[in-house]
Amino acid sequence: MATTSTTIRAADALARRLYAEGCRYAFGMPGGEVLTLVDALEDAGIRFILAKHENAAAFMAEGAYHRTGAPGILVATVGPGALNGVNAVANAHQDRVPMIVLAGAVDADEAQTYTHQVLDQQAVFRPITKATFSLVPGAAHVIADKAVAIATEGRPGPVHIDVPISVADAQVPAKAPPPRAKASATAPSGEDLATARGWLQSAERPVMILGLDAMIEDAGAEVTAFAERFGVPVITSYKAKGLLAEDHALALGGAGLSPLADRHLLPLIENADLILCVGYDPIEMRVGWRDIWDPTHQRVIDITAEPNHHYMHQSSLNFIADCAASLKALSDGVTPRDTWPGGEISATKSALAQAFPTDEDWGPAAIMDTCRQVLPRETLATVDSGAHRILLSQMWECYEARGLTQSTALCTMGCAIPLAMGAKLADPDRPVVGFCGDAGFLMVAGELSTAAELGLKPIIVVFVDASLSLIELKQRSRQMKNRGVDFAKHDFAAMGVAFGGAGHTVTTRAELTDALHTAMTADTFTVIAAVIERGAYDGRI
């Protein structure tokens, strides 16, 4: 008769807690210092995915998180492995992505007389994580539970755990103490809630600005119901796009980085008599959104997961509360009325459509329009940073939360391909397209071999103009010479084929349409190189 062991490895305690939280994938590159961790993760039912670089592995972990809701897991070995992941961990911190960073570490006593690859990894990760731990056997279960709680509650983010070699194998009790109960959602109450209801009741020109907190809290259904009931137009940050389906009459799309969009959205906000900031986290926004209203002259209600310590804006009322619960509480007993009697909502939508036209024969807007027309409505999109991201974030309609994933706060390049891979791995039945600049593609091209090894079939669309277009545009706007922004043109379609996928080079809408139809039925990933002219983004963002 089999007996159940009363002890397990400390690494098993970590892995089992992560599995209980819903984690089913871990991403990274192993070294000798993390072999026990990888073994424990696999034993717990968490599949370890071998990436080609830790930076890409962390973005794959984020892509999977957006489909599963469970924290992403990055596994990195001691020293250079851990340091390779710093960029993407910092991105997770700024973009509010729950992530558990498991790093190998040299044993503390060994480190006193051994210097090879020894560095203070906790000091490295402390400024870019919500917390950092060094695993000890006697508290393995507690540290595992703390890490999950800190990573997922409030505004989510990464938590780092150093796992020394001997500690990973150390025996600990198999039975874990009960996990800490999750906090319940809270809603406003008292005099401030009564004031807010009065403001909503009297508002003729209300506007709602949605952000990351609302997306993380899955507040889309309540946002839609509230907006429809009270006739409130909705603007989102880029990452919150789709919380209100963007083909809805009240949806005004994403904002925060495009001066062209701001030209039409900011006047509407300036004319509002009630501004509802629902989960609006301005970490995604740029300087043009700093103090765009004066709360002494406009009524502004802030509903956020954490207090305002950013000072990007101020408000008349502050509620540290759940977005959906707050909207329900705010609407209770308030009678809807007609809003925006001058037709400003439809006028703004029309102005935005004219500002971002889709009728060009060829160019970045034509590429985006063709992809949106050809690919199914339920397609998930990712995009990395550059001029193409600003334009795509305005033109790519999202019909659900997390329909477009990008690096919005840190704005790091090279994220679109690994984000698409993580999403496709976790949600294989959904069409996935990743939009890349050619420079961003070159940063992570090696991960296409990982896509081939995993049998993943995302479509990768590359905007090919052989330039860092956004930086070159800024360079020209300052009357500077062209320096350090151009590079050679490469055969991106051939790279796709070389790494085990399919490849197409396109220069017209018809060619792109054919390539997309072929890609949707391909048995591997597809790279579509869309060649555009230099300066194609001028006047468009």
Side-chain angles (χ1 to χ4, degrees):
M1 181 176 177
T3 58
T4 302
S5 175
T6 59
T7 62
I8 57 175
R9 297 170 298 182
D12 294 313
L14 269 177
R16 293 181 185 185
R17 180 64 187 91
L18 293 171
Y19 182 87
E21 192 62 22
C23 300
R24 296 296 181 268
Y25 304 97
F27 304 83
M29 181 171 283
E33 296 80 8
V34 295
L35 292 179
T36 299
L37 269 175
V38 173
D39 189 62
L41 290 166
E42 289 272 352
D43 282 353
I46 298 173
R47 182 183 177 188
F48 178 76
I49 305 297
L50 173 62
K52 303 304 177 286
H53 195 283
E54 291 82 357
N55 186 64
F59 280 116
M60 291 180 206
E62 178 181 347
Y65 150 69
H66 285 299
R67 304 319 308 158
T68 67
I73 302 175
L74 170 65
V75 179
T77 194
V78 66
L83 295 182
N84 274 348
V86 164
N87 171 60
V89 174
N91 180 81
H93 191 231
Q94 292 205 15
D95 272 28
R96 319 308 191 194
V97 175
M99 184 177 293
I100 306 298
V101 181
L102 302 177
V106 173
D107 293 329
D109 53 353
E110 182 78 0
Q112 298 306 310
T113 57
Y114 183 70
T115 57
H116 177 65
Q117 292 187 328
V118 174
L119 72 154
D120 190 343
Q121 293 176 174
Q122 286 190 270
V124 171
F125 283 104
R126 189 168 289 114
I128 57 172
T129 58
K130 292 183 71 178
T132 177
F133 297 93
S134 182
L135 195 68
V136 291
H141 288 295
V142 172
I143 289 173
D145 193 57
K146 277 188 175 183
V148 168
I150 294 170
T152 57
E153 292 183 352
R155 282 188 174 142
V159 172
H160 161 251
I161 306 175
D162 259 354
V163 184
I165 300 167
S166 65
V167 172
D169 282 304
Q171 293 295 299
V172 303
K175 185 177 180 180
R180 189 176 64 84
K182 293 184 183 296
S184 298
T186 59
S189 61
E191 292 183 6
D192 282 351
L193 176 59
T195 298
R197 285 172 175 164
W199 290 355
L200 178 61
Q201 181 70 73
S202 63
E204 292 185 354
R205 299 180 307 280
V207 66
M208 186 187 301
I209 304 175
L210 292 177
L212 275 167
D213 292 347
M215 182 198 77
I216 291 163
E217 295 168 13
D218 294 323
E222 189 57 38
V223 164
T224 301
F226 185 94
E228 290 177 344
R229 182 180 177 189
F230 295 103
V232 184
V234 174
I235 301 167
T236 73
S237 67
Y238 282 168
K239 207 148 189 172
K241 278 168 62 71
L243 272 171
L244 176 66
E246 291 189 311
D247 56 353
H248 195 289
L250 292 169
L252 297 179
L257 189 53
S258 167
L260 193 55
D262 289 351
R263 195 176 303 162
H264 305 285
L265 294 173
L266 294 185
L268 188 80
I269 294 173
E270 291 167 1
N271 196 32
D273 58 6
L274 177 63
I275 301 169
L276 292 161
C277 297
V278 181
Y280 171 45
D281 181 353
I283 197 166
E284 294 189 67
M285 315 306 273
R286 298 302 178 270
V287 293
W289 281 73
R290 182 190 294 148
D291 291 325
I292 61 172
W293 54 72
D294 181 349
T296 64
H297 292 87
Q298 283 178 289
R299 293 169 172 175
V300 183
I301 301 173
D302 229 349
I303 303 167
T304 54
E306 294 181 0
N308 172 355
H309 295 155
H310 51 72
Y311 281 66
M312 272 280 286
H313 68 257
Q314 295 300 334
S315 58
S316 315
L317 290 174
N318 280 308
F319 295 120
I320 310 302
D322 178 82
C323 293
S326 297
L327 290 178
K328 290 178 182 177
L330 183 59
S331 63
D332 188 28
V334 178
T335 303
R337 61 179 297 168
D338 291 336
T339 60
W340 295 98
E344 294 91 341
I345 301 173
S346 60
T348 301
K349 284 183 74 74
S350 296
L352 285 167
Q354 293 173 15
F356 298 96
T358 60
D359 58 355
E360 68 177 358
D361 292 334
W362 186 245
I367 295 164
M368 295 167 191
D369 179 57
T370 302
C371 289
R372 182 71 280 187
Q373 295 298 323
V374 173
L375 295 173
R377 181 181 174 91
E378 68 272 18
T379 297
L380 302 171
T382 68
V383 62
D384 61 10
S385 289
H388 62 289
R389 179 176 80 92
I390 302 173
L391 186 59
L392 186 83
S393 295
Q394 300 301 142
M395 296 191 62
W396 185 264
E397 276 198 348
C398 291
Y399 311 114
E400 61 181 291
R402 307 175 196 272
L404 174 62
T405 305
Q406 54 187 292
S407 171
T408 53
L410 197 62
C411 289
T412 185
M413 292 175 65
C415 64
I417 289 175
L419 282 172
M421 291 170 58
K424 192 66 174 175
L425 179 67
D427 200 351
D429 294 332
R430 293 286 292 270
V432 177
V433 59
F435 293 98
C436 304
D438 41 9
F441 178 97
L442 292 171
M443 286 182 174
V444 294
E447 294 301 341
L448 293 177
S449 64
T450 308
E453 292 161 5
L454 296 172
L456 301 179
K457 305 174 185 178
I459 300 170
I460 307 301
V461 177
V462 189
F463 296 87
V464 181
D465 59 4
S467 177
L468 300 174
S469 301
L470 182 58
I471 309 307
E472 190 272 338
L473 181 60
K474 292 179 179 180
Q475 202 171 51
R476 278 191 287 119
S477 71
R478 296 177 61 183
Q479 289 79 50
M480 292 181 171
K481 294 180 180 179
N482 182 292
R483 288 170 173 163
V485 294
D486 295 338
F487 48 92
K489 284 192 175 181
H490 301 285
D491 192 339
F492 294 93
M495 292 184 205
V497 174
F499 280 114
H504 307 269
T505 299
V506 299
T507 57
T508 67
R509 281 184 182 257
E511 290 175 349
L512 175 56
T513 299
D514 289 343
L516 289 169
H517 282 298
T518 301
M520 284 190 282
T521 59
D523 58 2
T524 185
F525 70 86
T526 300
V527 174
I528 301 175
V531 181
I532 58 177
E533 296 292 329
R534 295 286 185 93
Y537 298 97
D538 287 6
R540 294 190 175 277
I541 56 177

